[in-house]
Amino acid sequence: MTKPPRRSIPLPLRVLNSRRRWSALGLLLAVAAGLSGCAFYSFSGASIPSRLETIAIPIAQDNTSSPLNTMGSDLTSLLTDRFVNRTRLSLTTDDTGADALLTARIQRYRNRPTGVSGDERATTNEVTIDVAVRYLDQTQDSVLVDQSFRGAASYDPVEAGLQGERQAAENALANVADDIFSRATSTW
């Protein structure tokens, strides 16, 4: 049995195939170089100094007159979830012995209309929550974060009523907790 004659690939197609190979190789090298930075950072974007192993997060103070009486403990739970479940930090109740200390104080709670109908009824309300935060590296006696954060969420007061306000407050607290976590664990 004879082999079919081998077809020769025209020169322009050989050059094109060669360029594709080099482009693919270049892309592969670029991806590998980009991923090499992941050895120092987690995929969540959280960057915690290696000297920090434990964190204390006392119950957040609620200095507001909000109708929602669990905001301090709700915020503390959200922060604990983020710092313990998304980093390698272990939670401790020893505020003075922890490597890191995160304190939060809810300073302001507002619920105000942001949308009004033709008959001057609120169609949309916005809950806004301001929180002051201090994040300390107690191993080096340094302040890592000392700033205020604001979270907001909207709801329909006619359809959702008080339950809508509660849900909006929970969403606003979750936004604040996300912002605090991002700021405290980013190095840029």
Side-chain angles (χ1 to χ4, degrees):
M1 191 172 208
T2 63
K3 291 184 181 179
R6 188 170 176 178
R7 290 189 341 193
S8 169
I9 299 175
L11 183 60
L13 288 178
R14 277 187 266 164
V15 170
L16 182 61
N17 284 339
S18 176
R19 284 186 186 157
R20 283 185 186 156
R21 276 190 225 122
W22 283 110
S23 295
L25 181 61
L27 180 62
L28 181 63
L29 288 174
V31 169
L35 288 177
S36 68
C38 294
F40 302 103
Y41 301 101
S42 72
F43 284 105
S44 70
S47 176
I48 302 291
S50 60
R51 67 185 170 276
L52 301 180
E53 295 178 5
T54 60
I55 186 169
I57 306 174
I59 301 278
Q61 295 177 17
D62 184 356
N63 294 346
T64 70
S65 57
S66 140
L68 310 173
N69 58 1
T70 61
M71 283 199 314
S73 60
D74 292 347
L75 178 59
T76 303
S77 294
L78 291 166
L79 291 170
T80 300
D81 172 66
R82 280 149 181 79
F83 280 86
V84 174
N85 294 334
R86 298 182 189 178
T87 70
R88 58 176 170 65
L89 293 174
S90 299
L91 185 65
T92 180
T93 56
D94 181 7
D95 293 359
T96 57
D99 297 332
L101 176 65
L102 178 70
T103 59
R105 186 177 69 251
I106 302 171
Q107 296 180 299
R108 187 173 189 180
Y109 177 91
R110 279 188 314 225
N111 181 8
R112 60 186 177 93
T114 55
V116 181
S117 67
D119 59 353
E120 297 187 16
R121 285 187 172 173
T123 57
T124 307
N125 276 19
E126 181 180 70
V127 170
T128 306
I129 300 173
D130 295 338
V131 179
V133 171
R134 282 182 59 97
Y135 180 47
L136 307 170
D137 176 346
Q138 297 189 132
T139 65
Q140 294 190 343
D141 198 27
S142 64
V143 177
L144 301 174
V145 175
D146 187 5
Q147 83 181 64
S148 291
F149 295 86
R150 174 175 288 163
S154 299
Y155 72 100
D156 182 337
V158 176
E159 289 185 23
L162 185 56
Q163 184 56 37
E165 181 179 0
R166 282 192 183 111
Q167 185 61 53
E170 289 174 15
N171 293 343
L173 283 174
N175 293 338
V176 167
D178 287 340
D179 291 346
I180 293 168
F181 179 75
S182 293
R183 174 65 179 91
T185 60
S186 66
T187 57
W188 46 83

